[in-house]
Amino acid sequence: MDEYLSLGHMQLVPEEDDRSYDNASNKPIFFLPHHAVFKESSTTTNTRVVFDASAKSTTGVSLNDMHMVCPTIQQDLISIVLRFRMHTYAMTADISKMYRQIRVHPEDYNLQRILWRGSSDEPLKQYQLVTVTYGTAPASFLATRCVNQLASEEASSYPLAAEVISRDMYVDDLVTGSDNLTEARRLQEEIIYILGKGGFALHKWCANHVDLLEGIPEQL
């Protein structure tokens, strides 16, 4: 939770909007239940916070009940995997904290409120999540739509990389390659550059040739 605060993915509810549990301002407000999930075997994130947007409030309605169901805009997984298996030089990576790189509209902050305190000695405080939250119904669509928009905007300068981003990504996972090693390295560099312009950092790189891993910064 401290990381959420330090990265700016969560903030205290402004004092003028903090009216505990009553809604004197008549703004739509929803409190998300949350808990920690521990995975000791993970080398990158052994503790995750899970928010339950499907939990119903006292009204009998959940946040996900209020969300619109978004269409699928990514290619099906079978097509992505079959295409991946045809490359001579293959590489994979995923976007770090993908959903949390996308800010939601300030008018929607109140729909992602949580209660939190660092210890039992502290008073409960109201916070609001200001980025797309995993577990909300439109999260996958919103993240994929943002990545596709980046690819579209850079298509004239980097046509091959833009096509790969829109074609060979399954949510936050990049699964692609090339039949030419030089082209594969150039493709890798261009994909990193394009996604970086939107704040999407690729990490957990894997490849079937050492040259595709040599230039990757250690933190990625």
Side-chain angles (χ1 to χ4, degrees), residues 9-33:
H9 300 164
M10 178 174 83
Q11 64 187 27
L12 268 171
V13 173
E15 187 174 347
E16 62 271 19
D17 291 335
D18 183 355
R19 293 179 171 83
S20 298
Y21 304 102
D22 64 330
N23 190 5
S25 63
N26 291 320
K27 296 178 181 178
I29 294 176
F30 194 90
F31 285 87
L32 290 169

Side-chain angles (χ1 to χ4, degrees), residues 4-218:
Y4 267 79
L5 285 169
S6 65
L7 293 177
H9 300 164
M10 178 174 83
Q11 64 187 27
L12 268 171
V13 173
E15 187 174 347
E16 62 271 19
D17 291 335
D18 183 355
R19 293 179 171 83
S20 298
Y21 304 102
D22 64 330
N23 190 5
S25 63
N26 291 320
K27 296 178 181 178
I29 294 176
F30 194 90
F31 285 87
L32 290 169
H34 57 94
H35 65 275
V37 173
F38 303 96
K39 186 177 181 181
E40 295 182 1
S41 60
S42 175
T43 58
T44 55
T45 310
N46 52 26
T47 305
R48 294 179 182 272
V49 184
V50 175
F51 301 94
D52 188 0
S54 294
K56 297 185 183 299
S57 72
T58 53
T59 65
V61 178
S62 72
L63 180 60
N64 279 342
D65 289 335
M66 295 187 290
H67 275 141
M68 294 182 67
V69 177
C70 302
T72 299
I73 57 175
Q74 62 197 17
Q75 294 202 16
D76 65 282
L77 184 57
I78 292 178
S79 297
I80 294 174
V81 172
L82 288 177
R83 189 163 48 247
F84 172 73
R85 290 173 62 87
M86 297 175 66
H87 298 305
T88 302
Y89 300 98
M91 52 187 170
T92 65
D94 73 44
I95 298 175
S96 176
K97 300 179 178 66
M98 182 185 192
Y99 294 176
R100 288 162 57 187
Q101 308 312 315
I102 304 164
R103 205 168 186 89
V104 300
H105 195 283
E107 290 183 0
D108 296 327
Y109 288 174
N110 281 323
L111 296 176
Q112 295 191 144
R113 284 198 190 185
I114 67 168
L115 296 173
W116 173 252
R117 58 184 176 184
S119 74
S120 58
D121 298 327
E122 299 176 6
L124 280 172
K125 295 180 181 179
Q126 293 189 41
Y127 294 88
Q128 51 197 11
L129 306 178
V130 301
T131 61
V132 171
T133 299
Y134 180 80
T136 54
S140 178
F141 168 83
L142 293 172
T144 302
R145 179 65 182 86
C146 286
V147 168
N148 286 352
Q149 182 64 33
L150 271 177
S152 175
E153 292 176 358
E154 298 297 326
S156 59
S157 301
Y158 307 98
L160 181 58
E163 179 184 1
V164 166
I165 290 172
S166 60
R167 183 195 66 190
D168 290 348
M169 290 206 67
Y170 193 79
V171 192
D172 61 343
D173 292 312
L174 173 69
V175 185
T176 192
S178 176
D179 292 332
N180 179 281
L181 182 57
T182 300
E183 183 179 277
R185 294 187 66 173
R186 179 170 63 87
L187 180 64
Q188 183 185 53
E189 292 172 357
E190 292 181 357
I191 291 173
I192 291 174
Y193 173 76
I194 291 175
L195 293 179
K197 292 189 72 173
F200 299 112
L202 287 166
H203 69 160
K204 298 182 181 178
W205 281 93
C206 291
N208 64 350
H209 196 287
V210 66
D211 284 2
L212 295 174
L213 299 175
E214 287 184 344
I216 302 299
E218 186 175 342

